[in-house]
Structures are given as C-alpha cells and as structure tokens.
C-alpha cells in the first residue's frame, strides 16, 4: 500500500477499536446525515444493460417485477448516467467518484494488463470500511487482474468473482488465455474456466450468505453481475422462459436475483436499514463484431437503449444513460420519478455521508451528494456532465443542453460497438424535449454552443484531455 493511501486511512489501533464495538451499537450509530441510522449499502451493477431493458423503463416484453418494485417503492431516475460508455472506466468512476481520466483508467483492460486501479485512489469500499463496515465485492471486477489490483487491495474484505468480462476466452477473443476465464475467491483460482451460464445463481447465493452473516454490523455489498454482457447464456432454470429471447432470459434471471436479495433483507428485518442501488455500467452492446456470433449467439441477443440514440462505445445518450433506481423503504419516499442529472460518481459522496464518514482533506471528487433528491427534498445539485470516450472529451451536458463535438480524425474509439459518426460541425441537443438527439440546434443557438464549448475547453485543460 502506498504512503499516500496509508496517510488517508485510520490508524490501525483505531480500526481495531472500531471492530470491537458491539455490532448492535455500530449498526445504530447515527452518521452525519442527521439521526438516520447508518444503513447497510448494496450496489447492484449489471453489464451492458441498456436504458430500455426493464419493464419499468418501457420494454414491452421483458418481465422484471422485482426491479420494478424497487422503482415503485423508491426513486427511478430517467437521467442517470454511467459516466462513460465502456466497462473499466465506468467501474472506476463508480468506486472512486472521479472521472476515469483522473485515475488513468480510460480504456478496457484485458487479461494480464500492466495497469489497474491505482493504489493511490481511495475507493468507496475503503472509505466505508473506515466507518466499520464489512465489505464484499461479488461478480465482475474488471479493474486489473494482477494481485496488486485485486479487490482485497482496495477496501474489500471478501471477493468472489471474475477478474474481467467472461468473453475473454476462445472463440470469442482469439488471443485470450486458452484456459479461459478464472473464478476467484480472494486471490485464489477456484475454477477455470468459469461456468458462466450459472454465474448469476452462484453469485446470488454468495451475496445472500454475506448478508446473512452481517450479524447486525453495517455492510457494503458491491454486486456486479457479469451479464447481460455478451455472450449471454442463462442457467437451465431460466432458459426459454422470457418472451424477449435469450437476452430476455438473462435479464429476467438477474431480476430473480434482485428478488432474492430483497426477500433476504425482509426475512432478516433489515429492509428499512438497507439502501439498494440498481444500475448498469454502460449502454447495450449493439453492432457487435462477428467474433461474438458464435456458440449460438445471434445478432438480436443484445439490449436496447429504448428511445435513446447510440449504444455502448459512443458518447450519445444510449451509450451512457442507463437505468438508475434507488430503494430504501421508510427513508426514500415511494413512487418518485426524477429527470434530474445523476451519475454513478455521485454514489460515493452520498453513501459516505450516510455512513457518517468524511473525505480526507484535499481529496478531490467529481461526484456530488444527491441525498436531497433521494429524500424528495430538492433537486439534484448536479448541473453538468462531461462525456469521454477513452481519454478524449467529446461532449458536455449543462442543464437541458448537450454539446457534442467529435473531430473526424478522432482516435478515441476503443471497443467494437456502435460506430462513432464524427463531424466537425458541433451538435447541440435539447435533451429535455429531444432525448433521442435527432435535432441539431447548433445553428439556432450559437450563444449556447459558444458557452458550452468554453466549458469543455476549461475542463479539458483541468484534466489534461
């Protein structure tokens, strides 16, 4: 562990003292968010699930009653952003609360990559563990597969999952390790290749075990499903059950998993002391390369961005705007639907505040505290969002307006996904009335184009992009 990270963490003696506090007292200690007891925290992240891939977000045939119940009993965001449109950078943003360009994780990492989540970065898991939380990462990590990048080195007490996407294996990736994708418990390989059709059920069982063993001590569970990333394959129990094909089977199995988590919380009587977040790491993987159409995979075994333009690998809305639902019975008013801008980076400061923690002096976050909008007390404090593809800043949203400027010579593309239609002409969209980005209004509003262009230039200079 680096010296910079060590200085941010509590002294070992204090950590031991905190661990010795009786679980019932630790769980009931109020944090800085007033008299609200420190909640258990569960973040459920899916992979490549599009904005339109839930019935509560308009899908006509997918049945997702458990996730829809979260929306009915909590808050559903219609402008929730994954920050970036590919796996590794998006996950880095969620766990650090910072734009990936600050952490250096701007591209998708493959097996054996020399880089990963830097030791100098403070993760949400580390910050919560300082507050006495038990922490577990279950599912897909994808922030570096070398031992020094393991989740156990970044604030998690437990790790059970895969180090990267399950398509990093023959025949889907020709130069992938021939032995396939490993399943890890901590640093140890327990299975290789992983039995990927049964991952959802196995990871769900592991998540429930972790919750049941909490013993009253607050916990943080980061449950990152490897699917519906291609190749999609449900377990035998869910094969052929949906009306939306193989992709639908996989999503409905994830919905089952969410239901099992919620049922466990209710059985333990802790549903009102647990906040659950459901979201995706980026938009759907459309226009997939021919290499993915193997083992029975078909072109339509992918998700939908609903009314949004673009998909994974683009800076249009379909690449980064994703489902976002937050559920906390008794604290978050039921039945809310918000069009306010919210990002996965905002989870860090919000959840840390609820846990009673504070950021180390001088630590810079790009996330903002969205507790007021969760509680129905006010709008989201976020008014702007910057869109990156790789290291390249391509767009900004300020309020209702989005400016997108992608040079024709752009080399930012890094994943075989939706093609980036590039243009030297600025694209200006009013996302309040045109979320599909069909009508370029740059000619009608040159003043807005100039203002947003200056903001992009200012931020680009700040982050070196």
């Amino acid at each position: 562990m680096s010296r910079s990270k060590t200085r941010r963490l509590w002294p070992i003696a204090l950590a031991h003292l905190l661990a010795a506090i009786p679980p019932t007292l630790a769980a009931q200690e109020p944090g800085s968010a007033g008299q609200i007891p420190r909640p258990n925290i569960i973040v459920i992240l899916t992979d490549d699930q599009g904005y339109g891939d839930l019935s509560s977000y308009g899908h006509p045939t997918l049945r997702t009653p458990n996730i829809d119940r979260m929306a009915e009993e909590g808050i559903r965001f219609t402008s929730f952003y994954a920050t970036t449109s590919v796996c590794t950078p998006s996950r880095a943003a969620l766990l650090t609360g910072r734009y990936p360009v600050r952490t250096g994780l701007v591209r998708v990492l493959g097996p054996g990559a020399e880089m990963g989540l830097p030791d100098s970065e403070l993760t949400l898991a580390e910050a919560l563990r300082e507050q006495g939380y038990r922490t577990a990462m279950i599912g897909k990590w994808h922030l570096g597969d070398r031992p020094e990048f393991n989740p156990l080195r970044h604030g998690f007490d437990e790790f059970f999952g895969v180090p990267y996407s399950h398509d990093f294996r023959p025949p889907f990736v020709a130069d992938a390790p021939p032995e396939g994708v490993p399943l890890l418990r901590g640093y140890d390989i327990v299975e290789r290749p992983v039995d990927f059709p049964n991952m959802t059920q196995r990871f769900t069982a592991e998540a429930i075990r972790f919750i049941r063993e909490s013993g009253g001590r607050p916990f943080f569970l980061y449950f990152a499903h490897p699917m519906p990333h291609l190749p999609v394959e449900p377990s035998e129990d869910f094969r052929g059950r949906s009306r939306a094909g193989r992709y639908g089977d996989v999503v409905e199995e994830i919905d089952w998993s969410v239901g099992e988590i919620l049922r466990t919380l209710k059985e333990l009587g802790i549903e009102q002391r647990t906040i659950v977040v459901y979201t995706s790491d980026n938009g759907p993987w459309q226009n997939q390369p021919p290499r993915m159409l193997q083992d029975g995979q078909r072109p339509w075994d992918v998700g939908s961005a609903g009314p949004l333009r673009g998909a994974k690998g683009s800076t249009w809305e379909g690449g980064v705007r994703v489902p976002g639902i937050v559920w906390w019975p008794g604290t978050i008013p039921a039945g809310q639907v918000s069009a306010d801008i919210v990002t996965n980076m905002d989870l860090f400061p919000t959840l840390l505040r609820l846990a009673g923690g504070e950021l180390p002096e001088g630590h810079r976050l790009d996330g903002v505290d969205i507790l007021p909008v969760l509680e129905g007390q006010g709008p989201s404090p976020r008014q702007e969002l910057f869109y990156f593809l790789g290291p390249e800043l391509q767009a900004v949203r300020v309020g209702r307006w989005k400016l997108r400027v992608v040079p024709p010579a752009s080399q930012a593309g890094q994943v075989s996904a939706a093609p980036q239609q590039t243009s030297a002409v600025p694209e200006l969209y009013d996302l309040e009335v045109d979320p599909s980005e069909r009508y370029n209004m740059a000619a009608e509003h040159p003043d807005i184009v100039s203002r947003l262009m200056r903001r992009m230039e200012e931020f680009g200079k700040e982050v070196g992009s």
Side-chain angles (χ1 to χ4, degrees):
M1 182 178 295
S2 69
R3 291 185 179 181
S4 61
K5 177 173 287 191
T6 302
R7 285 196 297 268
R8 292 201 303 262
L9 302 179
W10 285 16
I12 294 176
L14 184 55
H16 284 306
L17 178 62
L18 182 60
I21 296 176
T24 54
L25 294 179
Q28 295 173 1
E29 179 188 348
S32 62
Q35 296 304 309
I36 301 174
R38 295 188 301 159
N40 304 308
I41 296 168
I42 301 176
V43 175
I44 301 174
L45 183 73
T46 56
D47 198 324
D48 291 4
Q49 183 173 21
Y51 183 87
D53 286 335
L54 296 171
S55 56
S56 52
Y57 280 81
H59 198 286
T61 55
L62 268 170
R63 298 168 297 183
T64 51
N66 296 300
I67 302 168
D68 298 341
R69 172 191 155 199
M70 287 181 59
E72 293 167 0
E73 297 178 356
I75 184 168
R76 177 171 65 89
F77 289 100
T78 59
S79 292
F80 191 101
Y81 289 88
T83 304
T84 65
S85 62
V86 289
C87 299
T88 297
S90 177
R91 291 158 194 270
L94 187 156
L95 284 178
T96 66
R98 290 154 55 84
Y99 282 106
V101 70
R102 296 192 193 276
T103 67
L105 295 179
V106 296
R107 302 186 187 280
V108 174
L109 299 179
E114 295 184 0
M115 64 183 307
L117 185 61
D119 192 54
S120 58
E121 289 294 326
L122 177 67
T123 69
L124 178 59
E126 289 171 320
L128 292 175
R129 190 160 68 173
E130 290 181 33
Q131 303 306 312
Y133 277 66
R134 295 175 61 243
T135 60
M137 195 276 139
I138 295 173
K140 173 183 163 181
W141 176 239
H142 215 170
L143 293 173
D145 66 334
R146 295 190 175 189
E148 60 266 33
F149 306 128
N150 189 282
L152 300 186
R153 294 286 296 270
H154 291 285
F156 290 100
D157 299 318
E158 299 184 25
F159 169 48
F160 183 70
V162 292
Y164 37 76
S165 301
H166 61 284
D167 66 323
F168 280 105
R169 60 186 182 86
F172 299 100
V173 178
D175 59 350
E179 60 270 32
V181 179
L183 175 65
L184 303 178
R185 184 176 295 280
Y187 297 100
D188 300 327
I189 297 176
V190 297
E191 179 180 289
R192 190 164 194 173
V194 63
D195 177 13
F196 80 91
N198 291 308
M199 286 189 298
T200 297
Q201 295 202 14
R202 293 174 72 180
F203 291 155
T204 301
E206 193 75 11
I208 290 173
R209 175 201 60 77
F210 175 78
I211 293 170
R212 290 189 178 280
E213 292 178 358
S214 64
R217 182 178 168 190
F219 63 81
F220 169 47
L221 170 61
Y222 172 42
F223 187 177
H225 286 276
M227 286 195 270
H229 188 292
L230 291 169
V232 291
E233 186 65 51
S235 69
E236 184 66 34
D237 293 341
F238 286 84
R239 197 165 299 153
R241 283 182 45 171
S242 85
R243 297 179 64 178
R246 188 192 302 215
Y247 184 89
D249 295 345
V250 167
V251 172
E252 292 190 7
E253 186 163 17
I254 291 173
D255 181 77
W256 162 83
S257 171
V258 171
E260 292 298 291
I261 297 293
L262 300 182
R263 181 178 60 81
T264 300
L265 297 177
K266 184 174 182 179
E267 284 183 2
L268 297 176
I270 58 174
E271 69 271 25
Q272 292 197 344
R273 290 197 290 116
T274 305
I275 183 170
V276 183
V277 179
Y278 183 94
T279 189
S280 175
D281 68 340
N282 48 249
W285 194 358
Q286 298 175 346
N287 297 313
Q288 65 273 31
R291 65 181 174 82
M292 297 306 302
L293 301 181
Q294 305 185 59
D295 285 3
Q297 301 290 305
R298 296 158 298 182
W300 52 86
D301 288 333
V302 295
S304 167
L308 305 179
R309 182 181 184 181
K312 176 179 179 174
S314 78
T315 50
W316 283 313
E317 293 296 287
V320 290
R321 199 190 296 203
V322 293
I325 298 171
V326 185
W327 177 87
W328 188 4
T331 299
I332 294 178
Q336 295 185 83
V337 179
S338 174
D340 289 359
I341 305 172
V342 173
T343 78
N344 62 3
M345 296 183 295
D346 301 331
L347 298 177
F348 191 125
T350 306
L351 297 174
L352 181 58
R353 175 188 175 189
L354 290 171
E358 295 181 359
L359 285 173
E361 185 176 353
H363 185 73
R364 173 67 184 274
L365 286 186
D366 295 302
V368 298
D369 183 352
I370 59 168
L371 186 59
V373 68
L374 294 181
E375 295 183 327
Q377 300 298 316
S380 170
R382 176 173 293 282
Q383 290 299 310
E384 67 178 12
L385 171 68
F386 296 96
Y387 300 64
F388 289 84
L389 187 62
E392 187 174 270
L393 176 57
Q394 294 190 349
V396 62
R397 177 178 179 180
V398 178
R400 67 192 300 153
W401 294 103
K402 176 180 177 180
L403 177 69
R404 184 173 180 269
V405 183
V406 183
S410 172
Q411 299 297 315
Q414 51 163 328
V415 64
S416 298
Q420 285 282 99
Q421 284 183 273
T422 59
S423 172
V425 178
E427 305 166 44
L428 181 69
Y429 302 105
D430 182 350
L431 295 180
E432 297 262 321
V433 299
D434 180 26
S436 300
E437 298 174 286
R438 296 175 62 190
Y439 305 103
N440 184 357
M441 304 184 72
E444 290 85 350
H445 299 282
D447 55 331
I448 297 176
V449 171
S450 296
R451 176 166 55 87
L452 269 56
M453 188 76 78
R454 286 196 301 271
R455 187 66 190 106
M456 284 182 67
E457 292 171 352
E458 291 170 356
F459 194 75
K461 290 179 181 178
E462 178 185 330
V463 299
S465 178

